[in-house]
Amino acid sequence: MSGIGLALAAAGAFMQFRQGQAQAAMYEGAARNLEVQAQYTRFNAKGESLKYKKQAADQLEGTLIRLAQINAAAGAGHMDPFSGNPFGLKIRALNVGGTNFAMAGLNETITRLTGESQAKMQLWQAGQARAAAKTAKRSGIMSAMFTLASGAFNYYQTSIPGSTAPLAPITPPPPPTSGGGFGMNLPGSMGAAPPGAYFGTGPNYGYVVGPGMMGT
């Protein structure tokens, strides 16, 4: 029976070790998945930021074209008297075009930095998953070692043979001396009974007593 217990302990230790490996593999897979997501997040943020960067370039090009049109119209003398002078038109074009250009550039920066922050968070989560994988693997090994140690200890306890030496017989006390009796003529004895006398029945009782004593 002790051998069966040891075998069960070994099987339990193996299962705990395999369970720790399975948990570690699961955390490792999660870490790799997060790392891939971080790369995709950076790539996606870069793509979105390029859209805003193109918008900024288009706004700058449109502003330059508008200024060129104002200069051409002013040089040709085809200015509308109700639209203002060429200098005012240039200021208005630079104001609108510069605002749109700055807004597009800001959106490009925000999109890129936001994607980078999300990617770093995903990489941090991947690091946490890898740390959890190491902990799970270490925990499985420790649990397996503890189970094996417990099984070995139980096997050692149950495999020690018990003592089969016979018990030593109980030696009854010597019979009382003759000549005893009841009364106060025997000092130092209980109820004037001589030392060594027993009363009643059962173990160490009913011992042979002298004539005139109680008990059989």
Side-chain angles (χ1 to χ4, degrees):
M1 296 299 291
S2 59
I4 296 177
L6 185 59
L8 291 176
F14 179 75
M15 292 299 296
Q16 290 174 342
F17 177 73
R18 294 293 295 173
Q19 183 179 3
Q21 284 186 332
Q23 290 181 351
M26 180 184 66
Y27 287 123
E28 284 288 343
R32 288 191 293 268
N33 185 24
L34 288 169
E35 289 173 350
V36 173
Q37 289 181 6
Q39 293 179 357
Y40 175 77
T41 300
R42 284 176 173 169
F43 179 80
N44 188 31
K46 185 65 176 179
E48 292 295 325
S49 66
L50 289 177
K51 294 180 181 179
Y52 290 110
K53 191 173 184 178
K54 184 180 182 302
Q55 289 181 3
D58 292 342
Q59 290 296 328
L60 180 59
E61 183 181 2
T63 301
L64 294 176
I65 293 174
R66 182 61 179 169
L67 291 175
Q69 291 174 348
I70 293 172
N71 289 332
H78 302 292
M79 295 299 300
D80 185 0
F82 299 101
S83 62
N85 55 63
F87 183 74
L89 293 177
K90 290 180 181 180
I91 292 177
R92 184 186 301 175
L94 288 174
N95 184 20
V96 176
T99 301
N100 293 335
F101 173 80
M103 185 63 66
L106 181 61
N107 290 335
E108 184 268 336
T109 303
I110 291 176
T111 302
R112 179 170 47 83
L113 293 180
T114 301
E116 184 66 22
S117 299
Q118 292 178 352
K120 288 182 178 179
M121 178 62 67
Q122 290 169 344
L123 289 176
W124 179 82
Q125 292 176 349
Q128 293 295 109
R130 291 189 184 280
K134 293 181 180 179
T135 302
K137 187 175 182 180
R138 188 182 303 113
S139 178
I141 294 175
M142 294 300 296
S143 298
M145 292 178 62
F146 180 78
T147 302
L148 282 176
S150 299
F153 179 77
N154 293 332
Y155 175 78
Y156 176 76
Q157 290 290 329
T158 55
S159 62
I160 297 177
S163 177
T164 58
L167 298 177
I170 300 177
T171 304
T177 58
S178 60
F182 290 99
M184 299 302 296
N185 57 347
L186 293 175
S189 64
M190 180 178 179
Y198 293 86
F199 300 88
T201 60
N204 297 329
Y205 287 89
Y207 196 79
V208 179
V209 298
M213 299 298 293
M214 294 180 64
T216 57

